[in-house]
């Protein structure tokens, strides 16, 4: 009888301990949720869409790039740079933020080209035809021609002053100049957009981390909230249907 009484007491203590452990676990989870919610709310306050005069006063204007989602497809990465903005444009939040209602979200697709190169026009026609077959509903792609030019001296000076290192010291200076030229076109065309998606420059093993991150930071300067994204060269878009 004594052993059964002790065993019962131990069972009761384990039960109480288990309940207390469960309560602490639930309390911890609730605390974590409140903390995450607070962090997210704090981050969203930094981008307060409701206080943006452009959304309140100006509807979307595709021709002038006002309140649009702009996609800069610099190179084919399997289609992820196009797929993610397409999924974004389907959400009612972005439809409301860009169009002022529940209509289709206006998206502009830019193709960065250099028409001074032989055969570039044929490649552009091929890519344009392929995009049409994806049935994205974005209209004709907009060609952003670099014209074979290097970035302006002002851009180079600004970049080297902001990130104290000369472009000639980069592992691939020509690549850095090309991306700076792309940034000039993005700043010119997408400064009034609501969101910008662009192909992420691909890092190489020989690239210095500071130089690479400097270029990434520069790519987002003087632009609306921007997302640099790059696929793994695995096709995520297809125009075939069974």
């Amino acid at each position: 009888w004594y052993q059964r009484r002790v065993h019962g007491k131990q069972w009761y203590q384990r039960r109480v301990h288990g309940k207390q452990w469960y309560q602490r676990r639930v309390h911890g989870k609730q605390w974590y949720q409140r903390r995450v919610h607070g962090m997210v709310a704090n981050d969203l306050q930094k981008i307060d869409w409701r206080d943006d005069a452009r959304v309140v006063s100006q509807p979307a204007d595709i021709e002038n790039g006002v309140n649009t989602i702009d996609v800069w497809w610099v190179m084919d990465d399997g289609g992820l740079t196009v797929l993610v903005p397409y999924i974004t444009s389907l959400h009612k939040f972005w439809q409301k933020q860009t169009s002022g209602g529940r209509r289709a979200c206006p998206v502009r697709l830019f193709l960065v080209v250099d028409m001074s190169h032989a055969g570039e026009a044929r490649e552009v026609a091929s890519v344009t035809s392929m995009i049409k077959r994806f049935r994205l509903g974005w209209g004709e792609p907009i060609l952003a021609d670099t014209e074979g030019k290097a970035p302006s001296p002002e851009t180079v000076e600004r970049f080297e002053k902001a990130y104290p290192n000369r472009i000639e010291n980069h592992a691939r200076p020509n690549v850095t100049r090309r991306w700076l030229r792309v940034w000039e076109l993005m700043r010119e065309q997408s400064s009034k957009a609501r969101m910008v998606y662009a192909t992420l420059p691909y890092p190489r093993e020989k690239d210095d981390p500071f130089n690479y991150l400097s270029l990434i930071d520069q790519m987002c300067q003087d632009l609306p909230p921007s997302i640099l994204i790059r696929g793994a060269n695995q096709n995520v878009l297809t125009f075939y249907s069974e």
Side-chain angles (χ1 to χ4, degrees):
W1 172 85
Y2 177 77
Q3 290 177 341
R4 288 197 302 269
R5 185 176 180 87
V6 172
H7 176 74
K9 186 177 181 180
Q10 291 174 345
W11 173 85
Y12 176 77
Q13 290 176 341
R14 289 197 300 269
R15 184 176 179 87
V16 171
H17 176 74
K19 186 176 181 180
Q20 292 174 344
W21 173 85
Y22 176 77
Q23 290 175 341
R24 289 196 300 270
R25 183 176 179 87
V26 172
H27 177 73
K29 185 177 181 181
Q30 292 174 344
W31 173 86
Y32 176 76
Q33 290 174 339
R34 289 195 301 269
R35 184 173 179 85
V36 172
H37 178 74
M39 293 172 62
V40 172
N42 183 59
D43 288 341
L44 289 178
Q45 289 176 0
K46 299 176 183 178
I47 308 177
D48 194 345
W49 309 107
R50 295 171 298 177
D51 292 341
D52 195 330
R54 293 180 302 173
V55 177
V56 177
S57 61
Q58 297 183 6
D61 185 351
I62 297 181
E63 292 185 1
N64 296 317
V66 178
N67 283 351
T68 59
I69 292 181
D70 287 357
V71 182
W72 288 79
W73 199 11
V74 181
M75 60 190 65
D76 186 9
D77 59 356
L80 188 66
T81 307
V82 176
L83 177 62
V84 173
Y86 173 72
I87 296 175
T88 300
S89 68
L90 300 179
H91 198 280
K92 61 182 180 181
F93 171 83
W94 282 107
Q95 293 176 2
K96 185 176 181 180
Q97 293 298 329
T98 55
S99 300
R102 298 298 178 87
R103 301 185 300 275
C105 180
V107 180
R108 301 191 303 169
L109 177 61
F110 290 87
L111 299 179
V112 179
V113 298
D114 184 359
M115 300 305 292
S116 63
H117 286 176
E120 190 76 6
R122 183 173 60 256
E123 292 294 332
V124 169
S126 176
V127 172
T128 302
S129 176
M130 179 183 64
I131 292 175
K132 288 182 178 179
R133 300 177 71 178
F134 288 149
R135 304 182 299 277
L136 299 175
W138 291 354
E140 291 287 338
I142 302 174
L143 301 184
D145 190 2
T146 63
E147 301 176 349
K149 297 181 180 178
S152 66
E154 292 78 10
T155 297
V156 174
E157 181 181 1
R158 174 179 173 177
F159 179 72
E160 293 182 341
K161 184 177 180 179
Y163 316 100
N165 192 9
R166 296 185 59 82
I167 294 180
E168 286 73 13
N169 296 332
H170 288 209
R172 298 178 295 160
N174 291 335
V175 174
T176 301
R177 293 190 184 93
R178 181 173 184 268
W179 282 107
L180 289 179
R181 175 60 179 151
V182 172
W183 171 72
E184 289 181 338
L185 296 175
M186 293 171 59
R187 184 181 57 176
E188 177 183 344
Q189 298 287 344
S190 299
S191 60
K192 298 179 181 180
R194 202 74 186 108
M195 173 70 78
V196 175
Y197 286 88
T199 303
L200 175 72
Y202 186 76
R204 304 289 183 179
E205 292 184 1
K206 62 180 180 180
D207 290 339
D208 181 83
F210 177 82
N211 293 338
Y212 176 74
L213 293 177
S214 299
L215 178 60
I216 297 299
D217 187 62
Q218 183 66 36
M219 292 286 293
C220 299
Q221 296 295 320
D222 300 337
L223 289 172
S226 303
I227 297 177
L228 303 181
I229 185 172
R230 189 184 185 97
N233 293 324
Q234 297 180 356
N235 290 331
V236 296
L237 291 174
T238 179
F239 45 77
Y240 297 105
S241 60
E242 296 180 350

